[in-house]
Amino acid sequence: MQAFAYSKPASLADAAYAAKGANAKLVAGGQSLLGAMKLGLAAPEALIDLADLADLKGITVSGGFVKIGAMTTHAEVAASAEVAKAIPALADLAGNIGDRQVRNRGTIGGSLANNDPAACYPAAVLGLGATVHTNTRSIAADDFFKGLYETALAEGEIITAVSFPVPDKAGWQKFKQPASRFSIVGVFVSKGAQGVRVAVTGAGAGVFRAKDLESRLAGNWAAAALAGATVSADGLNSDLHGSAEYRAALIPVLAGRAVSAS
Ligand SMILES: Cc1cc2nc3c(=O)[nH]c(=O)nc-3n(C[C@H](O)[C@H](O)[C@H](O)COP(=O)(O)OP(=O)(O)OC[C@H]3O[C@@H](n4cnc5c(N)ncnc54)[C@H](O)[C@@H]3O)c2cc1C
């Protein structure tokens, strides 16, 4: 790992200023960034630690929305009685990310900014039609994810919170890699003011919506509505965990189970 300068700003404004520095990187739980640095995949000259930004922590439920601060850990979301009441599928998703150690350090902001193609939170954000708030603007889920580890974030832009609309129904199912527990395929489904949404992670270069499954479920919110549904394997991932065809076959199956669990 190359040497780097380290700072822990006490305010969002100071963090945003420091993050604009050349080759500076924000660090939250470090669960993805430090691993990448150890492997030489990232070599920032400066690390800007967000740990002291109290405004970026916490969970509130009001006006039909669950708002989660970017520095809130997976474990805190999983343990939140408010999240479990408002969107149980979201608490379930957070509680099944990685292992206990990862959940106690990793944050929702870091997960979304990293946008790993097999990450879980992107499926919930796209699957619920959430809004990602940053220090400069608010970005709709459909405009946030830009493919493999890419997002709409500008250099140095800081995610501050995420607002999830509370749906009438929502479900999450993940077929996980046994070691890391990342999604080989994960499907988040919801029905609410935003209509029906079906978001798939782990299967492609990044999270995406399965529009055909959405229209089937819009007509009938039941696993039976997905009987005989197929998803094209074109562009899906093939790796040691499974072929593109295998992942394509899993998507409607997991979507049906998520609907049944909703
Ligand atoms: C063994 C292991 C298993 C895992 N299993 C899973 C799993 O099953 N499912 C899953 O979804 N994830 C899994 N993860 C990843 C985990 O969820 C990480 O916590 C997450 O990817 C990154 O969050 P972090 O807070 O640790 O971010 P960091 O590693 O600190 O940062 C990640 C990236 O985001 C940027 N960043 C961080 N915070 C912000 C912010 N507020 N605004 C803008 N940019 C920001 C950083 O600059 C960096 O580029 C696993 C990780 C490990 C090590």
Side-chain angles (χ1 to χ4, degrees):
M1 192 189 278
Q2 295 191 8
F4 53 86
Y6 171 83
S7 66
K8 196 188 241 185
S11 74
L12 184 59
D14 290 350
Y17 180 78
K20 289 228 172 343
N23 197 10
K25 269 260 183 217
L26 301 162
V27 62
Q31 298 301 295
S32 292
L33 180 58
L34 298 185
M37 290 170 67
K38 284 180 191 157
L39 293 170
L41 300 172
E45 286 167 27
L47 277 188
I48 319 298
D49 192 340
L50 302 175
D52 278 358
L53 303 186
D55 296 352
L56 269 59
K57 293 178 186 160
I59 299 169
T60 56
V61 180
S62 71
F65 287 86
V66 173
K67 191 170 185 182
I68 303 179
M71 286 298 287
T72 308
T73 66
H74 311 326
E76 287 163 340
V77 174
S80 161
E82 292 162 298
V83 176
K85 185 160 177 275
I87 315 177
L90 184 59
D92 172 41
L93 177 146
N96 286 288
I97 289 176
D99 55 31
R100 193 183 296 273
Q101 196 180 353
V102 170
R103 289 194 292 274
N104 281 305
R105 288 290 307 173
T107 68
I108 187 169
S111 174
L112 297 179
N114 192 50
N115 192 25
D116 185 301
C120 305
Y121 270 130
V125 168
L126 195 60
L128 287 161
T131 301
V132 178
H133 306 287
T134 80
N135 59 318
T136 58
R137 58 185 167 151
S138 291
I139 311 167
D142 288 321
D143 304 325
F144 184 80
F145 303 104
K146 301 294 184 188
L148 199 63
Y149 295 102
E150 292 296 324
T151 71
L153 291 173
E155 200 60 38
E157 190 172 358
I158 303 177
I159 298 176
T160 54
V162 187
S163 294
F164 296 91
V166 177
D168 304 328
K169 295 267 187 191
W172 162 246
Q173 287 285 312
K174 166 163 95 166
F175 189 73
K176 57 183 180 246
Q177 299 169 16
S180 69
R181 293 146 190 168
F182 271 105
S183 299
I184 295 174
V185 175
V187 180
F188 199 103
V189 300
S190 79
K191 183 174 88 144
Q194 304 215 22
V196 166
R197 298 172 78 98
V198 175
V200 180
T201 188
V207 66
F208 64 90
R209 287 175 62 185
K211 296 288 173 107
D212 171 49
L213 304 189
E214 290 183 351
S215 31
R216 283 170 174 255
L217 291 171
N220 173 20
W221 183 258
L226 301 178
T230 58
V231 171
S232 164
D234 292 352
L236 297 188
N237 304 333
S238 280
D239 57 22
L240 60 84
H241 300 294
S243 67
E245 290 71 24
Y246 180 62
R247 285 183 161 92
L250 269 178
I251 295 170
V253 172
L254 293 177
R257 290 180 188 165
V259 169
S260 302
S262 71

